[in-house]
Amino acid sequence: MAAPGSAAQTTQPLASVPDRAEPATTVSGVPIDPLYTECNLEPLDGRRETQLGEPGCYPFTRGIHPTMYRGRLWTVRQFAGFGTPKQTNERFHFLLKQGQTGLSTAFDLPTLMGLDSDSPRALGEVGRLGVAVDTVDDIRELFQGIDLEKISVSMTINSPAIVIMAFFLVHAEESGFDWRKLRGTIQNDILKEFHAQNEFVFPPEPSVRLVVDLIEFCTEHVPQWNTVSISGYHIREAGSTAVQELAMTLADGMHYVEQCLARGLPVDSFAPRLSFFFNAHNDLFEEIAKYRAARSLWADLMRNRYGAREESSLKLRFHAQTAGCSLQDRQPEVNLMRVAYQALAAVLGGCQSLHTNSMDETLSLPSEHAVTLAVRTQQVLAYETGVPNTVDPLGGSYFVETLTEQMRREAEAYFEKIQSRGGMIRAIETGFFRREIAESAFAWQQAVDTRQKIVVGMNAFEESEEKPCDLHEVDPTVEQEQVEKLQSLRERRNATDWQAVLDELRRVAAENRNVLPALLQAARARATVGEIMDALADVFGRYAPGGESG
Amino acid sequence: MMTPPGIAPRIVLSKIGLDGHDRGIRIVARGLRDAGFHVIYAGIWQSPEAVVQAALDEDAGWLGISLLSGAHMTLVPRVLELLRTRGLDNVGVIIGGIIPNDDATKLTELGVKGIFGPGTSVPQIVDFLRTSAKSAEPADLVQRFVQKDRRALSRLLTLAARGELPEAVLRETRASVNNGGPRTSRTVALSGSGGVGKSSLIGRLVEFLRSLGQTVAVLCCDPESPLTGGALLGDRVRISKPAEDMGLFIRSLPARAGQQGIAEHLDVMMELLQLFGFQTVILETVGAGQGDTAVYGLADALVVLLQPETGDELQWEKAGLLEVADVVVVHKADLPGADATFSQVHELLNLPGSRAVPVLKVSAAKRAGLQELWDTLQGVPQRSQRDAR
Ligand SMILES: Nc1nc2c(ncn2[C@@H]2O[C@H](COP(=O)(O)OP(=O)(O)O)[C@@H](O)[C@H]2O)c(=O)[nH]1
Ligand SMILES: [Mg+2]
């Protein structure tokens, strides 16, 4: 295609169009050769056995299961949450009826920041981007009528993750579910908040300690629970390249592993329950290479650096979500196509579960119609395209194997860079990750502004008439309803109970003991998220956003 | 009136509410700097009160707010309302984020000048800001200054920064405020290499002084691009809190290349802040090198910051900046190597027969050494008294 401008140009036969003037690069700016051949694989010679292997075998480049989707399809897991717990509960039941096989919870910003719905800082944000949760009673309403021994549940929350986990466990206990049978995931990945998403409360070190507390407790008492979802998704959304996403995510994983080892946990006790969460962006082959490289890098690290012996410790399992940042608010229906290709990348890359974005997500919370189409996108992929019929269909491709190897090497170079900056915590404190991501984000924006990169409907193929989508409206009474419910609870509960429990929590936190048992007590006493987080902040302090602006 | 040529427009950029997605605002900040704007980045998690104070104290023509949280109908009207009650109607508000059409219409009716959705390019924003009209200069500045109108202070500082404040106005201001009475306020300058933690330490000092009930004004210098005249001024983020505090005044200043890391006309600006009644005035230089001694003489006390060094030998020489320091701080004392650096500096500066210079270990991160630093600073005589000696 020549420089795009009008749809009419696309009627030219492709063969008659000369090479494009600008060099072909991936979405991350990596140059791509016009042709890949056997020669490209030479650097891999002698290492093919160790770098590629068979599906289900070390280093798992080709997938973590020998049969992959022949055995079992990926889990369709759509992120949902808005308004009151009751409203989200209704959406959960709707999604299950649509054929979704797992639940995924979005919390509102006040909850994510550890604030109660009646905090002055929460004004206008209660129940807006997710569900509002203040106490264990809200968790009960949220999962009303859902069999937690059957349906796996994912909860996207980080700084207060351990508090919400305590609420969840108390709810399970009070509803008669066996902790040992609970299946699900809590994101519990604070490091990427410091790199990218800015939802943190405490300084990096005590924040990581809480992550490890959760891992330690669940390893013993909730053995089927995925204790962390080590996330590159948000790093990518903040503007990183694919390699940065890969490298920073694995580096975060390494830091958690090292902290767990320092706590004295045997590596094979907790490593099998670490999971990952990656972005599925626009560049099909780059994304596929990213997932394949991730698996082999992790297997190598776990076996050779951390001495894991169990096969389940070596396997990188991951959830993927299509790239929210790739969605456009103009011609929103075009987002359906973007999402479909991104989902294809995730599946060709061997994901274990997948969220497909709804086309209207840049405009508002998704409408039911848009959510349904997003789920259907996965169903078409699963049942009509034939893609799941064979394992790692692109394995051995000159191009994909070359890209995969390139990714591995570049990620390893990044690990070195982090080390040379004094390790994870120092690199956070000096703003290393944020600067790296900001550079990439700026480079991308410039490429789009100068039309070196084309975004359909945005800087090319624009349409003058915009058809508005049917939008989901947030109910304006949610905030009031949630606040009233919370305040009536504050009046009802026994004041001496929850205050004594919080004093105990402060003690445990200060003494460096695992805080989860004290949090279970706090949950039972109906202490709120905000009260608990404030008590922890008394001990840990609060962390101000760095604000490196360069 | 259009912005006069040669004077970079000032814009405060900030995020209000809880959402921390700062990809967009950081790109805009950089893009506007490259387009020649003076951009004051005020950070995330801000309250409407705090961003309005930033616009006021920075004498910004524009206030750019980004929010993706969906809380815009709660928070933005509050910002507009505050701007009005503070008499800042001349500040143009622009919004970036996901704003549905209906809300956009309402916000425009309420006074928002521009709304930029997810697909906006930086050049679009630049064009918009360049072509939009700005209101006229306010009158009666001196009289309003005397009546403690913060807008007048803010505007006088802007005029001073540009070298456009007539000497007569300054004299008039001086005369009407204190009639030549003795000065009770103190001034402190902090210098040292970029990244040594000047802004962070000032943030802690401010916290400390505010807890004593003292009012503080801070002038922070950041580099201006010699090519575009633009600047991205980010010190404010490390110093201010997300809430309003009228006992604290922060002005971010671009410093031209070749000015030894300080903005021009700082003496006049510091005097104005003292005349307005701030009890302590703190000056932060751009990351300065050993030869950048121009800051000497601007404040009662000059604090030079060093940080623990990894090499065996201290990289600094006594000649230059260290020679004129009143206090030397080995900052980031929480890091390994602080003790070694401390001994080396101490040795270097306190040779027998030379002027004794206090050397202190301080850590902004751990809030350590602040009291001692403050006590030491108070022991340094006011510059006017020293000059008289
Ligand atoms: N370890 C440590 N790091 C600090 C301390 N104070 C500031 N920093 C870090 O040093 C870097 C530069 O700080 P900043 O205040 O912007 O320095 P400035 O350029 O001198 O104003 C930031 O990454 C801070 O987080 C401290 O007391 N200890
Ligand atoms: Mg600074």
Side-chain angles (χ1 to χ4, degrees), chain A residues 4 22 25-29 239 281-282 325-330 338 439-462, chain B residues 23 27 117-124:
Chain A
E22 73 273 17
T25 56
T26 67
V27 134
S28 305
H281 212 291
N282 281 337
C325 63
S326 74
L327 301 183
Q328 302 301 323
D329 64 336
R330 292 181 227 157
R338 294 191 176 96
E439 280 305 317
S440 304
F442 192 66
W444 169 256
Q445 183 64 40
Q446 279 190 314
V448 172
D449 287 351
T450 55
R451 295 180 87 235
Q452 278 166 15
K453 286 287 183 192
I454 296 302
V455 180
V456 174
M458 224 276 292
N459 64 3
F461 313 114
E462 291 128 294
Chain B
R23 173 180 181 165
I27 288 174
T120 313
S121 72
V122 177
Q124 279 172 306

Side-chain angles (χ1 to χ4, degrees), chain A residues 165-414:
Chain A
M165 191 70 208
F167 286 6
F168 187 78
L169 291 176
V170 168
H171 161 63
E173 173 189 85
E174 290 178 352
S175 317
F177 296 120
D178 180 357
W179 282 1
R180 309 196 73 82
K181 291 192 184 140
L182 299 177
R183 285 182 311 117
T185 306
I186 189 146
Q187 197 163 70
N188 193 32
D189 170 21
I190 198 65
L191 290 172
K192 59 95 171 51
E193 298 299 334
F194 293 109
H195 308 333
Q197 197 178 226
N198 292 324
E199 283 158 14
F200 47 78
V201 176
F202 315 121
E205 280 173 79
S207 295
V208 170
R209 174 240 166 131
L210 290 178
V211 172
V212 176
D213 279 2
L214 189 153
I215 296 176
E216 186 181 37
F217 186 91
C218 290
T219 300
E220 194 181 337
H221 301 282
V222 201
Q224 299 196 61
W225 196 263
N226 294 314
T227 50
V228 202
S229 171
I230 307 160
S231 306
Y233 183 82
H234 319 80
I235 293 170
R236 192 68 183 277
E237 289 291 298
S240 83
T241 63
V243 165
Q244 287 171 332
E245 177 195 354
L246 171 64
M248 292 180 190
T249 309
L250 296 190
D252 290 350
M254 285 151 69
H255 188 72
Y256 295 133
V257 169
E258 286 160 19
Q259 296 308 303
C260 288
L261 294 176
R263 181 71 68 93
L265 303 177
V267 66
D268 285 318
S269 73
F270 66 85
R273 304 291 359 149
L274 302 176
S275 63
F276 286 80
F277 173 20
F278 288 110
N279 203 296
H281 212 291
N282 281 337
D283 200 295
L284 189 71
F285 295 106
E286 183 171 58
E287 293 301 280
I288 295 167
K290 179 182 76 184
Y291 308 125
R292 300 174 86 249
R295 276 192 295 270
S296 59
L297 282 165
W298 189 247
D300 172 46
L301 286 164
M302 291 310 293
R303 188 163 90 173
N304 302 321
R305 188 178 293 192
Y306 301 117
R309 287 293 161 259
E310 293 290 332
E311 205 177 68
S312 53
S313 300
L314 312 180
K315 291 180 179 175
L316 179 147
R317 296 168 300 129
F318 75 98
H319 172 70
Q321 180 174 339
T322 58
C325 63
S326 74
L327 301 183
Q328 302 301 323
D329 64 336
R330 292 181 227 157
Q331 303 180 42
E333 290 91 343
V334 177
N335 290 328
L336 287 169
M337 278 69 96
R338 294 191 176 96
V339 167
Y341 291 124
Q342 293 164 357
L344 177 64
V347 167
L348 287 172
C351 69
Q352 277 59 60
S353 61
L354 177 60
H355 168 109
T356 33
N357 284 330
S358 301
M359 61 176 174
D360 55 2
E361 261 166 62
T362 60
L363 303 167
S364 74
L365 279 170
S367 63
E368 281 194 356
H369 173 60
V371 174
T372 306
L373 287 176
V375 174
R376 297 283 178 264
T377 305
Q378 295 200 41
Q379 290 160 340
V380 169
L381 191 54
Y383 299 106
E384 296 186 9
T385 62
V387 169
N389 286 344
T390 190
V391 178
D392 188 30
L394 294 172
S397 143
Y398 302 131
F399 179 38
V400 171
E401 295 301 350
T402 306
L403 269 185
T404 306
E405 176 61 8
Q406 215 169 302
M407 285 261 176
R408 272 193 285 261
R409 277 202 311 269
E410 286 176 30
E412 282 172 335
Y414 238 97

Side-chain angles (χ1 to χ4, degrees), chain A residues 108-131:
Chain A
D108 69 358
L109 273 169
T111 309
L112 293 172
M113 294 296 291
L115 300 168
D116 286 336
S117 297
D118 59 355
S119 155
R121 286 183 67 200
L123 198 68
E125 321 224 31
V126 176
R128 214 164 246 290
L129 298 187
V131 60

Side-chain angles (χ1 to χ4, degrees), chain B residues 36-236:
Chain B
F37 284 72
H38 289 167
V39 180
I40 299 116
Y41 182 61
I44 62 170
W45 299 348
Q46 300 296 305
S47 65
E49 288 76 9
V51 293
V52 169
Q53 181 177 355
L56 167 61
D57 292 357
E58 297 287 359
D59 194 23
W62 293 98
L63 173 57
I65 294 170
S66 146
L67 71 179
L68 297 162
S69 64
H72 48 268
M73 292 313 286
T74 311
L75 298 175
V76 175
R78 177 97 192 107
V79 169
L80 296 168
E81 172 68 27
L82 283 163
L83 284 172
R84 230 183 339 270
T85 53
R86 303 244 188 286
L88 298 169
D89 311 78
N90 60 321
V91 176
V93 175
I94 60 172
I95 309 285
I98 303 168
I99 314 285
N101 285 343
D102 288 355
D103 293 352
T105 311
K106 281 180 214 147
L107 291 175
T108 309
E109 280 167 12
L110 287 174
V112 170
K113 292 282 189 308
I115 294 177
F116 300 96
T120 313
S121 72
V122 177
Q124 279 172 306
I125 300 178
V126 171
D127 284 348
F128 175 87
L129 295 176
R130 285 246 173 83
T131 51
S132 297
K134 297 295 301 158
S135 58
E137 286 286 326
D140 309 326
L141 283 175
V142 174
Q143 197 189 338
R144 285 168 42 214
F145 181 95
V146 175
Q147 291 160 354
K148 293 271 187 277
D149 181 340
R150 211 163 161 121
R151 287 171 303 165
L153 165 68
S154 199
R155 177 44 54 99
L156 285 173
L157 284 172
T158 305
L159 293 175
R162 293 183 198 150
E164 289 170 6
L165 185 69
E167 182 59 32
V169 175
L170 183 61
R171 250 179 295 152
E172 190 190 338
T173 315
R174 228 178 254 152
S176 31
V177 175
N178 69 355
N179 300 311
R183 166 162 84 87
T184 54
S185 53
R186 300 191 64 84
T187 57
V188 181
L190 274 81
S191 193
S193 332
V196 71
K198 297 178 293 295
S199 307
S200 309
L201 179 54
I202 291 173
R204 294 307 191 207
L205 272 177
V206 165
E207 205 175 83
F208 175 77
L209 292 170
R210 294 295 298 130
S211 75
L212 301 179
Q214 285 213 27
T215 57
V216 190
V218 186
L219 296 172
C220 327
C221 305
D222 265 324
E224 177 179 282
S225 158
L227 293 180
T228 64
L232 181 44
L233 311 164
D235 292 323
R236 189 179 180 95

